[in-house]
Amino acid sequence: MVETLKFPRQSPDKYAIKVDLLSKHFRIPKERKQTTYDHLVSLLPGRETLYDDFWALKDVSFSVQKGETFGVIGANGSGKSTLLKILAGVLYPDFGTVQVQGKIAPFLELGVGFQPDLTARENIYLYGSIMGLSKKSIAVRYDEILEFSDLKRFEHMRLKNFSSGMTVRLAFATAIQTDPDILLVDEVFAVGDEAFQRKCTEKIEEIKGAGKTIIYVSHALESVRELCSRCLALDHGTIQSLGETDVVIADYLAISASGSRI
Amino acid sequence: MWLVQYRDLIWNLTISDLKVKYQSSVLGFAWSLLNPLLMMLVLYFVFSNVFRFEVENFALYILIGIIVWRFLVNGTMTAMGSIVGRPGLVTKIFIPRQILVLSSVLSAFVSSILEFLVLIPLLFILGVGVTVYILLFPIVHVIYLLLVYGISLFLASLYVYYRDLNQIWDVVLQAGFFLSPIVYPISVIPAAYLSYYMLNPMTMLMEIYRDFLLYGSMPSLLSISMVFMAGCLIAVFGSLLFQRLERRFAEVI
């Protein structure tokens, strides 16, 4: 099960995700201490470590309704990925609360945990279980995965002999079988050839149609406009605007245009 | 409980770990079994001819010591890198990170069982045979697993922050090899130090394994329960430390 059990759950209501005053703070040491020796040296007097403080997210609040496709946009370093990682349970929030209802499937990167030395078949079972599928349900969906990825012929080939496109196809086909309530997507669909991309978009539409919640993080404003009804624009870790996608994107474009002129 | 909820994942990670380990060469599997045997021959030659220890069945005595010791070395060494070595599984998806440590230890556990299986025909060939007490093997080996898992939790979580820990642990293991009764009988330890020497859980473990494998006798229940207690304590404190440090794994890796 891919679930973030750490977060407190509330009685069922219409929210899939509810984020309240979420802040995430990183302390980046000016010199990196990686070894025991470094740590010992830093204990010497006059050797205090200096830190760069930086808030990746500051007082971010929003909620996503069940069945909604919610976009997150923003420039590089605006905190999009940090937000997604906190929702996925990979990073811990420093302040604020995150409530998630339902099973989350994080598509932050496809093919996490693939073993190049193993065959496609072995990797489907490995990756499937990493994504939270039981052995039984992988066995049931096994043929469908191979069919969707169009890799039936290469079932027993080792992954290291796959092209990168084939690897990604295998990963996507497996990951999409997890049947989550909430899908976190971080621009992973910009992969594969055009035909496969079309297949992916169809699949996402299908998931959307099935009433699942999708959080979609992207630079591609066109696809955000196409997919998402509501949207959140982040700027240096704070909310720049939040609401109807068209309004938010217009805002975002206006501000980044004026920003670039200065 | 993550152990039950993620059992398929733990199993799949362990199996793929073993497959990768043994697939890399045709002799891969054979080598991993030959290694302790060759090691035993070298040590047997040195310690029976140069140091002239008089121990009955000294070859088997050494071999059991080596096989027991190897599980600690292989288990902790691979598990230490299990968090750092698989950054994708830490930073791109949430799974309880103990799983990565546990599956590394389990794959060393399976290898260790295979090594013990090679030992059994040797027990017959060299005329020792087995007794009913060999049935204790599963229980003792699972207790030992607990101990190795506990130590690995400490090592894996600290290694994320202290990347030279593997060097330090390597030296500790070298020292431990000679501080445990692997290549010499306990009788060579001066009586004044004996009570300290026996505090080493590895010493107790080796005594236990030799009792039921080599001497065909019932090991002391006190030793078994003490090793079990040590394993529980280390596993509990290891888990606590791991949970404390785990929060920032994804930021540091």
Side-chain angles (χ1 to χ4, degrees), chain A residues 23-57:
Chain A
S23 295
K24 179 73 193 172
H25 164 247
F26 287 109
R27 236 169 38 140
I28 302 167
K30 290 209 165 131
E31 46 186 319
R32 199 162 163 72
K33 286 187 293 183
Q34 269 209 320
T35 63
T36 317
Y37 174 76
D38 291 341
H39 279 89
L40 286 176
V41 166
S42 69
L43 291 178
L44 297 174
R47 278 281 201 154
E48 276 158 54
T49 324
L50 299 170
Y51 289 100
D52 272 332
D53 262 333
F54 128 83
W55 291 88
L57 290 172

Side-chain angles (χ1 to χ4, degrees), chain A residues 144-146 148-149 168-178 196:
Chain A
E144 204 186 326
I145 292 171
L146 281 181
F148 187 87
S149 57
V168 166
R169 260 150 57 199
L170 187 71
F172 183 82
T174 310
I176 209 72
Q177 293 293 337
T178 43
F196 188 71

